[in-house]
Amino acid sequence: TAAVPHLVAFVAPWCSHCKKLGPALDAAAAELGDAIHVVKVDATAEADEGSGHSLAARVGVRGYPTLKLFRGGSAYNLAGNKRDRQALVDFATAGVLFTVHQGYAAGEDGTLRLLPKSFPRRVWDLTLEFLNNIAEEVKAVWGEHPLAAVSLFGSGFVIAAFSFFITELISERLGVPRRGESWEDVRAREEWLLHRAESRVKAVKAAAGKKTE
């Protein structure tokens, strides 16, 4: 039911990271049991149903996999890059850092309906996500090379900020990997999109043929 918290993994058919997430997600689901429902959703699926917008676009998913916790009327995004079983369980039980991304309303039939976000909320979420990503990178470098981390932090912050926004803006146009994607993911995604387009053309032709009969 909607009263039970939901840990949702939004994935895509071409995403190699999503496939690697599977075992950790299954292990987390087994540990959490009925206290928190764990669900994996193909965020591209609803684009095939003629809605005009994919589920990913409506939920605010910009990369795969994206993990969200729906709990107490708010939807939270997992911060950082750790996605092992323990990280997922900690996130689901609010034991680690998370960020509020969106509110939702519970319907009488037990469904969860996301509420629209205001423009300031979206800007704040992007800023918070960016800062969380930077913090993860700095923490990793600090542990291995503390002196280098101090000297490079200033320039690294500027470069990371530039890379973050530029990647989001031009990756789709230039056909280069999105954040977190490999070239193999890009090729797989392009093949999937081509296959989907061909399937739609065939469906339209088939429908037109039936009308002329």
Side-chain angles (χ1 to χ4, degrees):
T1 65
V4 178
H6 285 63
L7 174 62
V8 183
F10 294 94
V11 300
W14 64 80
C15 173
S16 60
H17 295 295
C18 301
K19 296 175 183 177
K20 294 177 182 177
L21 177 66
L25 199 65
D26 293 339
E31 183 169 341
L32 294 168
D34 294 332
I36 298 176
H37 292 173
V38 179
V39 183
K40 184 165 64 174
V41 176
D42 181 356
T44 67
E46 291 200 7
D48 294 324
E49 298 178 4
S51 62
H53 298 284
S54 69
L55 178 60
R58 291 189 284 111
V59 179
V61 173
R62 294 179 298 279
Y64 302 103
T66 290
L67 289 120
K68 288 180 177 283
L69 174 66
F70 296 88
R71 179 176 182 171
S74 294
Y76 304 89
N77 252 32
L78 176 62
N81 298 319
K82 290 189 65 177
R83 300 191 185 103
D84 56 20
R85 177 197 60 80
Q86 191 59 55
L88 297 181
V89 171
D90 288 343
F91 172 59
T93 55
V96 295
L97 179 66
F98 54 81
T99 60
V100 178
H101 264 239
Q102 200 162 6
Y104 69 88
E108 294 182 357
D109 57 353
T111 59
L112 303 179
R113 179 174 59 86
L114 290 171
L115 302 177
K117 292 190 293 185
S118 63
F119 178 73
R121 175 76 255 181
R122 293 197 298 269
V123 172
W124 172 253
D125 287 343
L126 282 172
T127 303
L128 203 57
E129 182 180 3
F130 166 70
L131 293 177
N132 282 328
N133 290 335
I134 292 296
E136 286 290 324
E137 296 296 330
V138 170
K139 185 168 63 175
V141 174
W142 181 270
E144 298 179 7
H145 309 285
L147 294 179
V150 173
S151 61
L152 293 176
F153 179 78
S155 58
F157 183 87
V158 175
I159 294 172
F162 179 81
S163 300
F164 177 85
F165 289 109
I166 292 299
T167 299
E168 293 292 333
L169 289 173
I170 68 174
S171 60
E172 193 70 30
R173 291 180 177 274
L174 296 183
V176 299
R178 297 170 179 169
R179 233 169 0 103
E181 279 189 342
S182 64
W183 282 104
E184 183 178 348
D185 287 336
V186 173
R187 289 190 291 270
R189 172 161 51 85
E190 290 176 347
E191 291 174 0
W192 177 82
L193 290 172
L194 178 60
H195 175 73
R196 188 182 67 178
E198 291 174 347
S199 298
R200 286 179 172 176
V201 171
K202 290 180 181 178
V204 171
K205 289 182 177 180
K210 290 181 180 180
K211 290 181 179 180
T212 55
E213 291 178 358

